[in-house]
């Protein structure tokens, strides 16, 4: 074979190999394109799975992740020092007297409990009257509990719920007129006095839940006049809706109205516009934190609260009925208790809350790492 023929033969074989490689490459490209066209339609940005393929990357997808510092645990404080009574309609929850509170809270604080909200439960004969005078009694359960907890757990953040319903003989959240309607002016004056009593006793935060018009401004002004506005957080139950989810709480606190209901001052369930107005009003009157209650049925209101009060923390109260429903369904085998508690709370956070008042707090202290 001549030299020129040898060169031609080598060139032909090289071209043949290049053609084979090209065919293989085209086949791979076709297979890849075909597979992709089956799995997606449209832009490549629709490929999402990789972004949450690992437990940590899944956690990163949440705008807010629940931590122990976000939780506030409700406590029912009895005026009977040695009482420890299980509340049948509120699983695992008790009314406790002062002698029982510290032993109960000690292991929870060791696990990372950061905050509690106190509800007084006067059960002694004659403890209730038309004006709720025992609400700010220095020897009453809330004020004594505030002082005890401040001494015993100096790092525990203490919220005091401010209302009259537990202390009035009629079970309503203020002072009534002769015809049974709410006297807003007298109620605001009384509620603001009770808030001041709790603040001066050492509460880090006062949280009026009565829904009387103008009570945030009245409390803020009295805090300023007393020279303690700079050290007391004012958390308003701004959007508190009437409904059927409060039954277990009323069993615990003994606060069921003796006549009528609270629809004339708590918000109607469909009143989104009213809720937005109430939130705006309370922010303008000096609220430091806005609360929505109940939580799971009002995720749109939580979102509205975050939009309106974008520079304020938003709290949500997962109320007794929500908690009891989750327990009942889990007991019936509908779902796993922990999984539903976590999913329900994550929904509250996703809607915009950064603080959750939850009866699941003791469980979350075990379930959460921080």
């Amino acid at each position: 074979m001549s030299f020129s023929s040898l060169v031609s033969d080598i060139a032909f074989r090289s071209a043949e190999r290049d053609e084979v490689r090209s065919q293989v490459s085209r086949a791979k490209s076709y297979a890849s394109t075909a597979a992709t066209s089956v799995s997606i339609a449209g832009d490549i940005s629709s490929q999402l799975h990789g972004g949450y393929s690992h437990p940590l990357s899944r956690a990163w997808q949440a705008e807010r992740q629940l931590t122990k510092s976000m939780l506030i645990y409700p406590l029912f404080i009895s005026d009977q020092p040695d009482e420890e009574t299980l509340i049948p309609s509120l699983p695992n929850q008790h009314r406790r007297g002062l002698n029982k509170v510290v032993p109960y809270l000690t292991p929870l604080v060791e696990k990372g409990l950061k905050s509690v909200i106190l509800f007084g439960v006067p059960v002694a004969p004659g403890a209730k009257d038309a004006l709720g005078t025992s609400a700010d009694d220095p020897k009453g359960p809330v004020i004594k509990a505030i002082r005890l907890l401040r001494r015993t757990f100096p790092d525990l953040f203490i919220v005091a719920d401010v209302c009259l319903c537990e202390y009035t003989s009629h079970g309503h959240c203020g002072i009534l007129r002769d015809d049974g309607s709410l006297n807003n002016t007298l109620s605001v004056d009384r509620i603001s006095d009770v808030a001041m009593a709790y603040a001066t006793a050492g509460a880090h935060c006062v949280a009026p839940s009565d829904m009387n018009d103008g009570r945030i401004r009245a409390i803020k002004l009295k805090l300023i006049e007393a020279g303690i506005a700079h050290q007391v957080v004012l958390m308003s139950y701004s959007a508190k809706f009437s409904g059927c989810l409060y039954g277990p709480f009323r069993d615990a606190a003994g606060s069921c109205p003796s006549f009528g209901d609270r629809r004339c001052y708590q918000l109607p369930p469909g009143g989104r516009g009213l809720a937005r107005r109430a939130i705006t009003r309370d922010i303008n009157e000096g609220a430091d934190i806005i609360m929505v209650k109940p939580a799971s049925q009002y995720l749109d209101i939580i979102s509205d609260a975050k939009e309106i009060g974008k520079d304020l923390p938003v709290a949500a109260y997962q109320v007794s009925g929500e908690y009891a429903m989750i327990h009942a369904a889990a007991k019936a085998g509908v779902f796993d208790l922990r999984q539903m508690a976590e999913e329900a709370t994550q929904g509250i956070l996703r809607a915009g809350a950064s603080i959750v008042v939850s009866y699941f707090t003791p469980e979350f202290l075990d379930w959460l790492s921080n």
Side-chain angles (χ1 to χ4, degrees):
M1 177 182 291
S2 67
F3 177 75
S4 60
S5 297
L6 179 62
V7 170
S8 296
D9 184 59
I10 292 171
F12 174 78
R13 292 181 183 182
S14 176
E16 196 174 49
R17 284 195 299 272
D18 289 344
E19 177 62 23
V20 170
R21 290 193 193 100
S22 178
Q23 289 175 356
V24 171
S25 177
R26 285 197 300 272
K28 289 180 177 179
S29 177
Y30 173 79
S32 174
T33 303
T36 303
S37 67
V38 170
S39 63
I40 67 171
D43 193 88
I44 197 68
S45 62
S46 62
Q47 290 289 285
L48 304 179
H49 290 173
Y52 52 97
S53 59
H54 185 278
L56 182 59
S57 63
R58 281 197 293 275
W60 287 342
Q61 298 298 329
E63 293 182 11
R64 299 173 186 84
Q65 295 184 40
L66 183 64
T67 63
K68 296 176 182 180
S69 63
M70 293 178 171
L71 296 165
I72 301 176
Y73 184 40
L75 292 177
F76 299 100
I77 309 297
S78 170
D79 62 357
Q80 304 301 298
D82 295 314
E83 181 180 2
E84 190 166 38
T85 303
L86 180 67
I87 303 157
S89 59
L90 202 55
N92 302 328
Q93 307 303 311
H94 295 72
R95 282 193 303 271
R96 289 185 170 89
L98 289 179
N99 293 342
K100 301 294 184 179
V101 170
V102 170
Y104 174 68
L105 286 183
T106 297
L108 298 183
V109 171
E110 291 172 352
K111 292 178 183 179
L113 178 66
K114 304 297 184 184
S115 180
V116 295
I117 182 168
L118 306 180
F119 298 93
V121 187
V123 297
K128 300 186 179 189
D129 59 30
L131 303 179
T133 52
S134 62
D136 51 357
D137 182 352
K139 297 181 180 180
V142 172
I143 290 179
K144 291 179 74 173
I146 291 169
R147 291 171 174 160
L148 174 65
L149 296 180
R150 285 295 302 263
R151 288 195 309 269
T152 310
F153 306 111
D155 295 326
L156 186 66
F157 188 87
I158 300 167
V159 183
D161 177 84
V162 183
C163 198
L164 298 182
C165 60
E166 304 103 309
Y167 305 95
T168 54
S169 51
H170 46 71
H172 282 281
C173 302
I175 297 173
L176 304 182
R177 297 185 177 92
D178 291 340
D179 63 2
S181 62
L182 195 69
N183 187 318
N184 192 86
T185 301
L186 293 181
S187 298
V188 166
D189 192 49
R190 180 81 184 102
I191 287 288
S192 56
D193 282 346
V194 174
M196 286 301 302
Y198 295 163
T200 54
H204 299 99
C205 173
V206 290
S209 59
D210 56 292
M211 291 296 288
N212 285 288
D213 290 335
R215 86 272 199 218
I216 300 302
R217 174 180 168 81
I219 294 170
K220 197 73 167 187
L221 287 174
K222 288 185 178 181
L223 289 171
I224 292 169
E225 290 169 0
I228 57 174
H230 64 290
Q231 62 189 33
V232 179
V233 177
L234 179 50
M235 178 164 65
S236 173
Y237 288 69
S238 296
K240 180 179 178 180
F241 289 84
S242 62
C244 63
L245 290 172
Y246 302 124
F249 175 94
R250 291 171 185 171
D251 291 343
S255 59
C256 187
S258 61
F259 67 90
D261 54 45
R262 295 171 181 155
R263 286 183 290 181
C264 62
Y265 45 95
Q266 294 179 359
L267 301 179
R272 184 176 184 179
L274 272 173
R276 292 177 64 91
R277 289 167 58 193
I279 291 165
T280 300
R281 176 198 65 192
D282 289 357
I283 291 172
N284 292 337
E285 289 186 3
D288 299 303
I289 300 172
I290 296 300
M291 185 192 289
V292 177
K293 176 185 181 181
S296 297
Q297 281 83 345
Y298 295 93
L299 298 179
D300 58 329
I301 309 301
I302 296 173
S303 180
D304 286 349
K306 191 58 185 173
E307 172 207 332
I308 297 167
K310 56 183 180 295
D311 298 322
L312 277 71
V314 174
Y317 197 145
Q318 186 185 56
V319 300
S320 59
E322 296 174 77
Y323 171 83
M325 284 195 298
I326 292 173
H327 263 276
K331 186 176 181 179
V334 176
F335 43 62
D336 177 73
L337 179 69
R338 175 177 177 176
Q339 186 174 353
M340 178 49 73
E342 290 176 342
E343 288 182 15
T345 306
Q346 188 60 56
I348 294 166
L349 299 182
R350 189 180 63 248
S354 56
I355 302 166
V356 183
V357 183
S358 174
Y359 297 97
F360 282 112
T361 296
E363 287 83 359
F364 277 126
L365 296 176
D366 290 325
W367 297 339
L368 296 172
S369 58
N370 66 324

